[in-house]
Amino acid sequence: SIQESEMLTDALTTRNEQVKEKKAMAQKEVEHEKKWHSFVIKSVQDANQKAAHEEEQRKRNRDLIAADLRRQIHEQNEQRRLQNLQKREEELMMIEDAAL
């Protein structure tokens, strides 16, 4: 009958609207999830980049400290050599004085 046909049409129209609403909500959830994942990935990348930069800075600092220590050791060695030369010179002078 016409009345049954209209009721079925109304029911199908209502059902189609519900499906469209659910689909729209699901699409919004998907977009939200995509944004969230992008944010998380960007945050992790930023943290990794910062950690890499900090590690590079620490390496540079270690290299500078090592170079400074090598320079200090070299200076101390040169000072010792100079002191040894001065002692030898003094010993030679004493020997010469004693020979006179």
Side-chain angles (χ1 to χ4, degrees):
S1 77
I2 293 175
Q3 193 174 5
E4 284 178 349
S5 179
E6 286 176 355
M7 284 174 59
L8 278 174
T9 302
D10 287 348
L12 282 175
T13 302
T14 301
R15 182 76 183 126
N16 280 345
E17 287 172 3
Q18 290 173 345
V19 167
K20 283 181 187 175
E21 287 173 11
K22 282 185 180 178
K23 188 176 175 184
M25 285 176 58
Q27 190 63 38
K28 282 182 182 177
E29 287 178 18
V30 166
E31 290 303 317
H32 177 75
E33 284 292 316
K34 283 182 181 176
K35 286 179 184 175
W36 173 251
H37 286 294
S38 292
F39 169 76
V40 169
I41 288 169
K42 177 88 170 81
S43 297
V44 169
Q45 288 172 339
D46 289 349
N48 286 342
Q49 191 174 14
K50 183 181 178 190
H53 176 73
E54 288 171 353
E55 181 57 33
E56 184 62 32
Q57 191 67 40
R58 282 192 292 275
K59 183 184 181 302
R60 246 181 270 133
N61 289 345
R62 282 192 303 267
D63 290 349
L64 288 173
I65 290 168
D68 190 49
L69 288 173
R70 284 192 297 273
R71 182 190 55 74
Q72 287 178 18
I73 290 169
H74 180 70
E75 285 177 7
Q76 289 171 357
N77 288 340
E78 287 301 312
Q79 243 177 348
R80 263 190 234 109
R81 281 190 202 108
L82 182 61
Q83 287 170 352
N84 288 339
L85 285 174
Q86 287 171 342
K87 279 182 191 172
R88 281 192 209 129
E89 192 175 26
E90 287 171 12
E91 289 170 358
L92 284 173
M93 287 178 136
M94 286 170 55
I95 291 171
E96 284 178 6
D97 287 349
L100 293 179

XYZ file of all heavy atoms in Angstrom:
836
model
N 0.834 -1.194 0.000
C 0.000 0.000 0.000
C 0.874 1.251 0.000
O 2.054 1.203 0.316
C -0.952 -0.010 1.188
O -0.266 0.347 2.361
N 0.247 2.375 -0.303
C 0.963 3.653 -0.378
C 1.486 4.047 0.986
O 2.619 4.513 1.125
C 0.034 4.743 -0.964
C -0.263 4.409 -2.426
C 0.690 6.124 -0.866
C -1.262 5.343 -3.061
N 0.683 3.823 2.013
C 1.091 4.188 3.369
C 2.331 3.403 3.799
O 3.277 3.959 4.346
C -0.068 3.924 4.334
C 0.148 4.563 5.681
C -1.093 4.400 6.575
O -2.058 3.723 6.202
N -1.060 5.027 7.733
N 2.354 2.108 3.516
C 3.521 1.284 3.845
C 4.742 1.752 3.061
O 5.846 1.812 3.580
C 3.237 -0.189 3.534
C 2.360 -0.874 4.539
C 2.073 -2.328 4.168
O 2.392 -2.734 3.017
O 1.559 -3.053 5.016
N 4.537 2.095 1.806
C 5.607 2.569 0.944
C 6.186 3.868 1.494
O 7.411 4.053 1.533
C 5.071 2.771 -0.468
O 6.091 3.256 -1.304
N 5.305 4.793 1.943
C 5.767 6.059 2.523
C 6.528 5.816 3.821
O 7.556 6.452 4.079
C 4.583 7.000 2.760
C 4.027 7.614 1.488
C 2.791 8.466 1.745
O 2.294 8.509 2.896
O 2.337 9.097 0.778
N 6.021 4.887 4.639
C 6.697 4.571 5.906
C 8.085 3.987 5.634
O 9.064 4.330 6.298
C 5.857 3.593 6.729
C 4.661 4.243 7.396
S 3.577 3.066 8.228
C 4.673 2.316 9.400
N 8.167 3.093 4.643
C 9.464 2.511 4.282
C 10.407 3.585 3.757
O 11.599 3.615 4.102
C 9.286 1.416 3.230
C 8.872 0.051 3.740
C 8.596 -0.887 2.552
C 9.946 -0.560 4.628
N 9.878 4.506 2.933
C 10.691 5.593 2.386
C 11.198 6.477 3.522
O 12.384 6.847 3.559
C 9.866 6.428 1.383
O 9.400 5.572 0.337
C 10.701 7.539 0.772
N 10.295 6.825 4.466
C 10.705 7.648 5.617
C 11.778 6.927 6.442
O 12.763 7.543 6.879
C 9.497 7.962 6.508
C 8.561 8.982 5.880
O 8.969 9.603 4.868
O 7.446 9.160 6.398
N 11.575 5.630 6.676
C 12.524 4.851 7.470
C 13.882 4.809 6.774
O 14.941 4.968 7.410
C 11.994 3.438 7.711
N 13.852 4.594 5.453
C 15.112 4.549 4.700
C 15.788 5.917 4.710
O 17.018 6.009 4.840
C 14.852 4.103 3.258
C 14.641 2.599 3.065
C 14.270 2.304 1.606
C 15.878 1.815 3.440
N 15.016 6.986 4.578
C 15.581 8.340 4.606
C 16.215 8.609 5.968
O 17.346 9.112 6.050
C 14.472 9.384 4.318
O 13.894 9.095 3.046
C 15.053 10.788 4.307
N 15.526 8.260 7.038
C 16.055 8.435 8.391
C 17.332 7.622 8.559
O 18.339 8.107 9.082
C 15.006 8.001 9.440
O 13.838 8.781 9.264
C 15.540 8.183 10.849
N 17.286 6.391 8.089
C 18.464 5.510 8.192
C 19.628 6.097 7.404
O 20.766 6.104 7.884
C 18.092 4.107 7.673
C 19.209 3.122 7.777
C 19.395 2.656 9.234
N 20.524 1.757 9.304
C 21.547 1.915 10.121
N 21.592 2.928 10.956
N 22.540 1.050 10.142
N 19.398 6.596 6.197
C 20.452 7.196 5.376
C 21.051 8.414 6.087
O 22.270 8.615 6.061
C 19.903 7.611 4.010
C 19.793 6.434 3.060
O 20.372 5.378 3.297
N 19.038 6.610 1.987
N 20.218 9.228 6.726
C 20.710 10.398 7.462
C 21.581 9.964 8.636
O 22.623 10.564 8.898
C 19.541 11.262 7.930
C 18.872 12.028 6.816
C 17.590 12.738 7.259
O 17.241 12.671 8.468
O 16.958 13.344 6.389
N 21.142 8.899 9.338
C 21.926 8.388 10.459
C 23.293 7.883 9.972
O 24.320 8.135 10.596
C 21.177 7.267 11.178
C 19.971 7.715 11.957
C 19.164 6.537 12.505
O 19.341 5.392 12.075
N 18.268 6.839 13.438
N 23.274 7.180 8.851
C 24.520 6.648 8.294
C 25.440 7.807 7.913
O 26.646 7.781 8.188
C 24.237 5.731 7.077
C 25.517 5.441 6.304
C 23.577 4.442 7.537
N 24.882 8.847 7.278
C 25.690 10.010 6.900
C 26.289 10.690 8.127
O 27.454 11.090 8.118
C 24.835 11.020 6.118
C 24.589 10.639 4.682
C 23.756 11.710 3.985
C 23.354 11.283 2.584
N 22.458 12.263 1.955
N 25.480 10.818 9.198
C 25.984 11.434 10.437
C 27.111 10.608 11.045
O 28.142 11.151 11.468
C 24.842 11.597 11.447
C 23.868 12.701 11.109
C 22.662 12.727 12.049
O 22.673 12.026 13.091
O 21.700 13.447 11.731
N 26.897 9.269 11.085
C 27.947 8.399 11.629
C 29.211 8.489 10.792
O 30.326 8.522 11.319
C 27.460 6.944 11.687
C 26.538 6.654 12.837
C 26.191 5.186 12.903
C 25.270 4.902 14.073
N 24.879 3.487 14.121
N 29.035 8.538 9.461
C 30.182 8.639 8.569
C 30.925 9.959 8.804
O 32.154 9.992 8.861
C 29.710 8.539 7.116
C 30.826 8.434 6.113
C 30.273 8.239 4.710
C 31.392 8.252 3.688
N 30.886 8.164 2.324
N 30.176 11.045 8.972
C 30.791 12.349 9.221
C 31.541 12.339 10.547
O 32.656 12.863 10.648
C 29.733 13.449 9.201
N 30.950 11.727 11.588
C 31.622 11.641 12.889
C 32.894 10.807 12.782
O 33.937 11.165 13.342
C 30.672 11.053 13.941
C 29.611 12.030 14.407
S 28.412 11.291 15.558
C 29.457 10.729 16.868
N 32.794 9.693 12.064
C 33.971 8.827 11.889
C 35.067 9.587 11.147
O 36.249 9.488 11.496
C 33.589 7.557 11.133
N 34.693 10.375 10.146
C 35.660 11.160 9.385
C 36.343 12.182 10.294
O 37.554 12.372 10.234
C 34.960 11.863 8.214
C 35.917 12.498 7.230
C 36.814 11.486 6.528
O 36.384 10.389 6.186
N 38.071 11.846 6.347
N 35.567 12.820 11.180
C 36.149 13.786 12.127
C 37.133 13.093 13.059
O 38.194 13.630 13.362
C 35.042 14.468 12.944
C 34.314 15.547 12.212
C 33.276 16.204 13.104
C 32.492 17.265 12.351
N 31.433 17.854 13.174
N 36.764 11.895 13.526
C 37.668 11.138 14.404
C 38.966 10.796 13.679
O 40.057 10.899 14.252
C 36.990 9.856 14.899
C 35.914 10.090 15.940
C 35.235 8.796 16.378
O 35.795 7.706 16.147
O 34.138 8.897 16.953
N 38.837 10.387 12.409
C 40.021 10.048 11.616
C 40.914 11.279 11.471
O 42.137 11.197 11.648
C 39.612 9.490 10.230
C 40.801 9.451 9.282
C 39.009 8.096 10.380
N 40.329 12.432 11.171
C 41.113 13.665 11.028
C 41.801 14.017 12.345
O 42.964 14.408 12.358
C 40.214 14.822 10.569
C 39.727 14.686 9.139
C 40.833 14.563 8.118
O 41.830 15.311 8.225
O 40.720 13.719 7.210
N 41.060 13.860 13.444
C 41.646 14.138 14.763
C 42.834 13.208 15.032
O 43.892 13.647 15.496
C 40.583 13.993 15.849
C 41.114 14.193 17.224
N 41.426 15.433 17.723
C 41.423 13.303 18.199
C 41.897 15.298 18.950
N 41.906 14.023 19.278
N 42.666 11.925 14.744
C 43.742 10.946 14.941
C 44.958 11.289 14.083
O 46.100 11.213 14.538
C 43.261 9.528 14.608
C 42.380 8.909 15.673
C 43.122 8.622 16.952
O 44.251 8.094 16.917
O 42.566 8.939 18.020
N 44.702 11.690 12.824
C 45.810 12.063 11.940
C 46.581 13.246 12.521
O 47.810 13.253 12.525
C 45.288 12.430 10.548
C 44.914 11.245 9.690
C 44.462 11.741 8.321
C 44.043 10.616 7.423
N 43.524 11.123 6.129
N 45.849 14.252 12.996
C 46.500 15.426 13.585
C 47.304 15.020 14.817
O 48.418 15.490 15.026
C 45.466 16.495 13.951
C 44.916 17.229 12.756
C 43.875 18.265 13.169
C 43.262 18.934 11.949
N 42.179 19.851 12.319
N 46.713 14.159 15.654
C 47.391 13.708 16.865
C 48.681 12.965 16.517
O 49.741 13.222 17.083
C 46.468 12.830 17.700
C 47.163 12.211 18.872
C 47.492 10.902 19.031
C 47.673 12.886 20.034
N 48.160 10.713 20.213
C 48.283 11.921 20.858
C 47.673 14.212 20.454
C 48.876 12.220 22.062
C 48.263 14.513 21.671
C 48.851 13.531 22.455
N 48.600 12.031 15.548
C 49.792 11.270 15.148
C 50.858 12.203 14.571
O 52.047 12.033 14.860
C 49.425 10.172 14.153
C 48.719 9.009 14.774
N 49.321 8.171 15.685
C 47.451 8.553 14.639
C 48.465 7.250 16.084
N 47.315 7.455 15.463
N 50.447 13.181 13.774
C 51.408 14.143 13.223
C 52.098 14.905 14.351
O 53.313 15.117 14.320
C 50.696 15.139 12.302
O 50.234 14.482 11.152
N 51.300 15.312 15.348
C 51.862 16.032 16.492
C 52.873 15.162 17.239
O 53.972 15.611 17.575
C 50.736 16.468 17.437
C 51.220 16.984 18.756
C 51.774 18.250 18.859
C 51.147 16.201 19.903
C 52.241 18.731 20.073
C 51.613 16.672 21.117
C 52.155 17.941 21.204
N 52.511 13.903 17.489
C 53.401 12.987 18.214
C 54.691 12.766 17.426
O 55.792 12.853 17.985
C 52.692 11.642 18.496
C 53.679 10.599 19.008
C 51.570 11.843 19.504
N 54.564 12.521 16.130
C 55.748 12.287 15.292
C 56.647 13.524 15.296
O 57.865 13.427 15.461
C 55.326 11.911 13.853
C 54.743 10.493 13.854
C 56.504 12.012 12.887
C 54.057 10.103 12.564
N 56.043 14.707 15.147
C 56.819 15.954 15.143
C 57.509 16.132 16.493
O 58.676 16.534 16.544
C 55.881 17.138 14.852
C 56.545 18.495 14.898
C 57.129 18.864 13.560
C 57.590 20.294 13.495
N 58.893 20.520 14.071
N 56.813 15.841 17.583
C 57.405 15.981 18.914
C 58.609 15.056 19.081
O 59.644 15.457 19.618
C 56.368 15.667 19.997
O 55.315 16.590 19.945
N 58.471 13.826 18.615
C 59.573 12.863 18.717
C 60.750 13.319 17.855
O 61.908 13.273 18.291
C 59.096 11.446 18.306
C 60.278 10.501 18.135
C 58.123 10.901 19.339
N 60.453 13.787 16.644
C 61.524 14.269 15.768
C 62.239 15.457 16.404
O 63.471 15.538 16.364
C 60.963 14.663 14.403
C 60.553 13.479 13.556
C 59.821 13.893 12.290
O 59.269 14.984 12.185
N 59.793 12.994 11.312
N 61.472 16.386 16.984
C 62.081 17.552 17.641
C 62.969 17.117 18.804
O 64.077 17.632 18.982
C 60.999 18.518 18.136
C 60.302 19.245 17.004
O 60.774 19.165 15.848
O 59.266 19.894 17.276
N 62.461 16.173 19.598
C 63.240 15.691 20.748
C 64.524 15.011 20.280
O 65.595 15.222 20.857
C 62.396 14.722 21.586
N 64.428 14.207 19.208
C 65.620 13.541 18.670
C 66.626 14.549 18.138
O 67.831 14.404 18.350
C 65.227 12.560 17.559
C 64.575 11.308 18.086
O 64.682 10.987 19.266
N 63.874 10.596 17.230
N 66.118 15.575 17.460
C 67.001 16.604 16.912
C 67.705 17.352 18.043
O 68.907 17.613 17.982
C 66.176 17.566 16.055
C 67.001 18.516 15.220
C 66.134 19.341 14.277
O 64.920 19.388 14.409
N 66.780 20.003 13.343
N 66.956 17.675 19.100
C 67.538 18.377 20.246
C 68.602 17.506 20.913
O 69.690 17.981 21.255
C 66.437 18.736 21.249
C 66.930 19.522 22.432
C 65.813 19.843 23.404
C 66.350 20.578 24.604
N 65.371 20.717 25.668
N 68.296 16.213 21.085
C 69.257 15.294 21.705
C 70.522 15.178 20.849
O 71.639 15.171 21.382
C 68.615 13.916 21.905
N 70.355 15.117 19.537
C 71.522 15.026 18.646
C 72.369 16.295 18.748
O 73.600 16.231 18.789
C 71.067 14.802 17.202
N 71.702 17.440 18.816
C 72.427 18.709 18.940
C 73.191 18.761 20.273
O 74.361 19.169 20.313
C 71.448 19.878 18.847
C 72.078 21.212 19.065
N 72.893 21.807 18.123
C 72.033 22.056 20.118
C 73.322 22.963 18.594
N 72.817 23.142 19.792
N 72.528 18.332 21.346
C 73.183 18.329 22.659
C 74.376 17.379 22.673
O 75.416 17.693 23.251
C 72.179 17.951 23.750
C 71.157 19.041 24.032
C 70.045 18.599 24.951
O 69.970 17.396 25.293
O 69.230 19.463 25.337
N 74.244 16.222 22.040
C 75.343 15.257 21.985
C 76.512 15.843 21.190
O 77.673 15.694 21.568
C 74.880 13.939 21.354
C 75.958 12.886 21.287
C 76.574 12.541 22.636
O 75.871 12.574 23.666
O 77.784 12.239 22.668
N 76.195 16.536 20.093
C 77.246 17.180 19.298
C 77.961 18.239 20.127
O 79.190 18.358 20.081
C 76.614 17.812 18.041
C 77.622 18.421 17.101
C 78.617 17.427 16.525
O 78.264 16.251 16.321
O 79.767 17.838 16.285
N 77.205 18.986 20.924
C 77.792 20.018 21.792
C 78.719 19.377 22.829
O 79.815 19.860 23.075
C 76.665 20.800 22.486
C 77.125 22.051 23.191
C 77.622 23.112 22.220
O 77.053 23.312 21.170
N 78.703 23.776 22.571
N 78.254 18.267 23.435
C 79.085 17.557 24.422
C 80.370 17.045 23.772
O 81.441 17.129 24.351
C 78.307 16.387 25.044
C 77.313 16.819 26.110
C 76.783 15.634 26.898
N 75.947 14.758 26.114
C 74.649 14.929 25.908
N 74.026 15.958 26.439
N 73.963 14.067 25.178
N 80.255 16.520 22.553
C 81.435 16.017 21.844
C 82.414 17.164 21.592
O 83.624 17.011 21.812
C 81.018 15.375 20.517
C 82.176 14.758 19.757
C 81.708 14.232 18.401
C 82.819 13.595 17.625
N 83.949 14.473 17.370
N 81.893 18.316 21.161
C 82.763 19.472 20.916
C 83.463 19.884 22.202
O 84.653 20.182 22.203
C 81.930 20.653 20.368
C 82.307 20.988 18.942
C 81.511 22.148 18.396
N 80.317 21.626 17.761
C 79.090 22.102 17.952
N 78.884 23.136 18.705
N 78.068 21.562 17.354
N 82.699 19.902 23.307
C 83.291 20.268 24.603
C 84.382 19.276 25.012
O 85.443 19.681 25.487
C 82.208 20.350 25.682
C 81.299 21.546 25.502
O 81.612 22.474 24.756
N 80.153 21.528 26.151
N 84.110 17.978 24.825
C 85.121 16.960 25.153
C 86.379 17.169 24.312
O 87.499 17.079 24.814
C 84.571 15.540 24.909
C 83.644 15.030 25.990
C 83.374 13.542 25.834
N 82.831 13.156 24.558
C 81.530 13.041 24.280
N 80.634 13.292 25.200
N 81.137 12.674 23.074
N 86.185 17.454 23.023
C 87.331 17.671 22.139
C 88.137 18.886 22.584
O 89.371 18.863 22.568
C 86.861 17.851 20.688
C 86.319 16.553 20.088
O 86.506 15.480 20.706
O 85.693 16.625 19.013
N 87.430 19.964 22.980
C 88.133 21.168 23.441
C 88.913 20.892 24.721
O 90.061 21.326 24.871
C 87.131 22.309 23.679
C 86.530 22.948 22.430
C 85.431 23.923 22.813
C 87.610 23.653 21.619
N 88.297 20.167 25.642
C 88.970 19.833 26.901
C 90.203 18.969 26.625
O 91.279 19.197 27.186
C 87.995 19.115 27.866
C 86.941 20.117 28.367
C 88.728 18.479 29.034
C 85.765 19.469 29.091
N 90.042 17.975 25.733
C 91.172 17.094 25.403
C 92.312 17.895 24.773
O 93.488 17.691 25.108
C 90.712 15.982 24.460
N 91.974 18.812 23.867
C 93.012 19.639 23.228
C 93.714 20.504 24.267
O 94.945 20.657 24.242
C 92.385 20.510 22.143
N 92.952 21.054 25.207
C 93.539 21.887 26.260
C 94.469 21.057 27.144
O 95.569 21.501 27.490
C 92.429 22.535 27.088
C 92.958 23.587 28.036
O 93.746 24.453 27.577
O 92.624 23.535 29.239
N 94.041 19.848 27.496
C 94.891 18.973 28.315
C 96.185 18.617 27.579
O 97.265 18.626 28.168
C 94.138 17.699 28.705
C 93.041 17.881 29.756
C 92.253 16.595 29.932
C 93.653 18.323 31.081
N 96.073 18.312 26.277
C 97.289 17.998 25.494
C 98.234 19.199 25.491
O 99.449 19.037 25.627
C 96.908 17.607 24.061
C 96.335 16.193 23.939
C 96.246 15.742 22.489
N 95.348 16.556 21.686
C 94.038 16.354 21.563
N 93.468 15.344 22.193
N 93.302 17.147 20.810
N 97.688 20.395 25.337
C 98.517 21.610 25.336
C 99.215 21.778 26.689
O 100.409 22.061 26.745
C 97.644 22.835 25.028
C 98.420 24.148 24.963
C 97.496 25.350 24.902
N 96.528 25.403 25.986
C 96.802 25.735 27.252
N 98.034 26.026 27.614
N 95.852 25.764 28.173
N 98.450 21.575 27.785
C 99.038 21.706 29.125
C 100.166 20.700 29.334
O 101.227 21.038 29.872
C 97.963 21.505 30.201
C 96.992 22.659 30.323
C 95.920 22.364 31.371
O 96.082 21.485 32.206
N 94.817 23.107 31.304
N 99.929 19.457 28.915
C 100.958 18.418 29.065
C 102.194 18.791 28.259
O 103.335 18.659 28.730
C 100.405 17.040 28.628
C 99.375 16.555 29.653
C 101.524 16.019 28.454
C 98.577 15.343 29.200
N 101.972 19.268 27.033
C 103.098 19.686 26.184
C 103.887 20.813 26.868
O 105.127 20.770 26.907
C 102.580 20.141 24.819
C 103.665 20.570 23.901
N 104.568 19.693 23.347
C 104.004 21.803 23.435
C 105.412 20.353 22.587
N 105.090 21.644 22.611
N 103.182 21.791 27.437
C 103.855 22.896 28.139
C 104.654 22.385 29.332
O 105.791 22.809 29.562
C 102.838 23.942 28.599
C 102.303 24.817 27.492
C 101.243 25.805 27.983
O 101.014 25.903 29.216
O 100.641 26.465 27.126
N 104.057 21.451 30.105
C 104.775 20.891 31.261
C 106.025 20.145 30.822
O 107.083 20.261 31.446
C 103.843 19.955 32.044
C 102.745 20.689 32.799
C 101.705 19.728 33.375
O 101.777 18.515 33.163
N 100.743 20.283 34.098
N 105.907 19.370 29.734
C 107.070 18.640 29.219
C 108.162 19.603 28.775
O 109.346 19.380 29.051
C 106.664 17.719 28.064
C 105.869 16.518 28.540
O 105.922 16.153 29.717
N 105.124 15.908 27.640
N 107.773 20.664 28.090
C 108.755 21.661 27.656
C 109.413 22.324 28.865
O 110.625 22.552 28.865
C 108.079 22.719 26.768
C 107.718 22.228 25.383
C 108.917 21.739 24.593
O 109.936 22.454 24.554
O 108.853 20.630 24.033
N 108.628 22.596 29.908
C 109.179 23.202 31.128
C 110.197 22.264 31.773
O 111.273 22.687 32.200
C 108.038 23.487 32.117
C 107.869 24.940 32.415
C 106.667 25.171 33.350
O 105.855 24.284 33.579
N 106.576 26.369 33.883
N 109.859 20.965 31.844
C 110.784 19.984 32.412
C 112.080 19.915 31.610
O 113.167 19.862 32.181
C 110.127 18.599 32.475
C 109.538 18.319 33.843
C 109.116 16.855 33.979
N 107.719 16.875 34.386
C 106.681 16.523 33.634
N 106.868 16.077 32.417
N 105.466 16.599 34.089
N 111.938 19.911 30.285
C 113.148 19.877 29.437
C 114.022 21.097 29.702
O 115.243 20.975 29.814
C 112.751 19.840 27.954
C 112.321 18.476 27.483
C 112.171 18.423 25.962
N 111.289 17.318 25.615
C 110.039 17.430 25.163
N 109.516 18.625 24.968
N 109.330 16.379 24.906
N 113.396 22.259 29.805
C 114.145 23.484 30.063
C 114.849 23.402 31.430
O 116.027 23.745 31.550
C 113.198 24.697 30.016
C 113.827 26.064 30.208
C 114.849 26.328 29.100
C 112.753 27.141 30.213
N 114.128 22.915 32.450
C 114.731 22.768 33.788
C 115.905 21.793 33.736
O 116.958 22.034 34.347
C 113.679 22.287 34.790
C 112.659 23.354 35.169
C 111.490 22.778 35.985
O 111.370 21.560 36.133
N 110.649 23.658 36.495
N 115.730 20.687 33.023
C 116.821 19.707 32.897
C 118.033 20.320 32.207
O 119.180 20.094 32.617
C 116.357 18.463 32.151
C 115.414 17.604 32.984
O 115.406 17.709 34.217
N 114.630 16.770 32.327
N 117.778 21.104 31.149
C 118.887 21.773 30.456
C 119.596 22.755 31.388
O 120.832 22.833 31.391
C 118.373 22.496 29.205
C 118.027 21.614 28.005
C 117.402 22.459 26.899
C 119.271 20.905 27.488
N 118.804 23.486 32.175
C 119.400 24.450 33.106
C 120.241 23.729 34.157
O 121.337 24.175 34.506
C 118.308 25.299 33.770
C 117.690 26.322 32.842
C 116.458 26.997 33.440
O 115.861 26.503 34.397
N 116.082 28.141 32.858
N 119.756 22.578 34.667
C 120.529 21.800 35.648
C 121.837 21.327 35.037
O 122.900 21.423 35.653
C 119.721 20.584 36.121
C 118.702 20.884 37.176
C 118.001 19.593 37.608
C 116.806 19.902 38.472
N 116.022 18.668 38.737
N 121.763 20.811 33.802
C 122.979 20.335 33.130
C 123.967 21.489 32.936
O 125.170 21.318 33.123
C 122.633 19.716 31.773
C 122.103 18.310 31.903
C 122.045 17.602 30.555
N 120.961 16.631 30.594
C 119.998 16.521 29.692
N 119.995 17.306 28.641
N 119.066 15.628 29.821
N 123.423 22.624 32.568
C 124.278 23.802 32.368
C 124.970 24.179 33.678
O 126.181 24.458 33.706
C 123.428 24.965 31.856
C 124.220 26.142 31.329
C 123.333 27.214 30.720
O 122.153 27.309 31.130
O 123.812 27.942 29.849
N 124.189 24.145 34.790
C 124.772 24.462 36.101
C 125.841 23.438 36.477
O 126.907 23.791 36.991
C 123.666 24.486 37.170
C 122.746 25.694 37.081
C 121.540 25.586 38.013
O 121.518 24.696 38.901
O 120.607 26.392 37.838
N 125.553 22.148 36.209
C 126.534 21.094 36.514
C 127.822 21.292 35.713
O 128.929 21.161 36.247
C 125.930 19.713 36.213
C 124.852 19.286 37.198
C 124.097 18.039 36.738
O 124.385 17.520 35.631
O 123.197 17.591 37.477
N 127.640 21.621 34.434
C 128.831 21.854 33.599
C 129.640 23.054 34.129
O 130.869 23.026 34.146
C 128.430 22.094 32.138
C 128.023 20.853 31.357
C 127.496 21.254 29.980
C 129.203 19.892 31.225
N 128.978 24.121 34.560
C 129.657 25.283 35.100
C 130.415 24.907 36.379
O 131.550 25.357 36.559
C 128.654 26.410 35.403
C 128.114 27.111 34.168
S 126.926 28.357 34.667
C 127.423 29.701 33.624
N 129.781 24.071 37.208
C 130.453 23.652 38.452
C 131.695 22.824 38.112
O 132.740 22.982 38.744
C 129.484 22.855 39.331
C 128.430 23.739 39.996
S 127.089 22.817 40.805
C 127.973 21.764 41.907
N 131.570 21.957 37.109
C 132.715 21.128 36.707
C 133.828 22.040 36.176
O 135.006 21.884 36.511
C 132.286 20.075 35.659
C 131.384 19.024 36.314
C 133.503 19.431 35.019
C 130.730 18.070 35.341
N 133.449 23.007 35.340
C 134.448 23.944 34.797
C 135.118 24.741 35.927
O 136.321 24.925 35.922
C 133.781 24.912 33.804
C 133.470 24.280 32.453
C 132.765 25.244 31.520
O 132.599 26.433 31.843
O 132.342 24.793 30.444
N 134.283 25.219 36.869
C 134.832 25.991 38.006
C 135.801 25.123 38.804
O 136.840 25.584 39.248
C 133.692 26.496 38.913
C 132.919 27.640 38.279
O 133.399 28.173 37.249
O 131.848 28.000 38.796
N 135.415 23.861 39.005
C 136.273 22.974 39.788
C 137.570 22.675 39.047
O 138.620 22.469 39.651
C 135.529 21.670 40.082
N 137.495 22.676 37.728
C 138.683 22.379 36.920
C 139.662 23.561 36.920
O 140.842 23.390 36.698
C 138.278 22.045 35.497
N 139.136 24.746 37.173
C 140.011 25.936 37.145
C 140.899 26.050 38.326
O 140.861 25.780 39.387
C 139.171 27.202 37.000
C 138.442 27.370 35.657
C 137.620 28.661 35.675
C 139.447 27.429 34.501
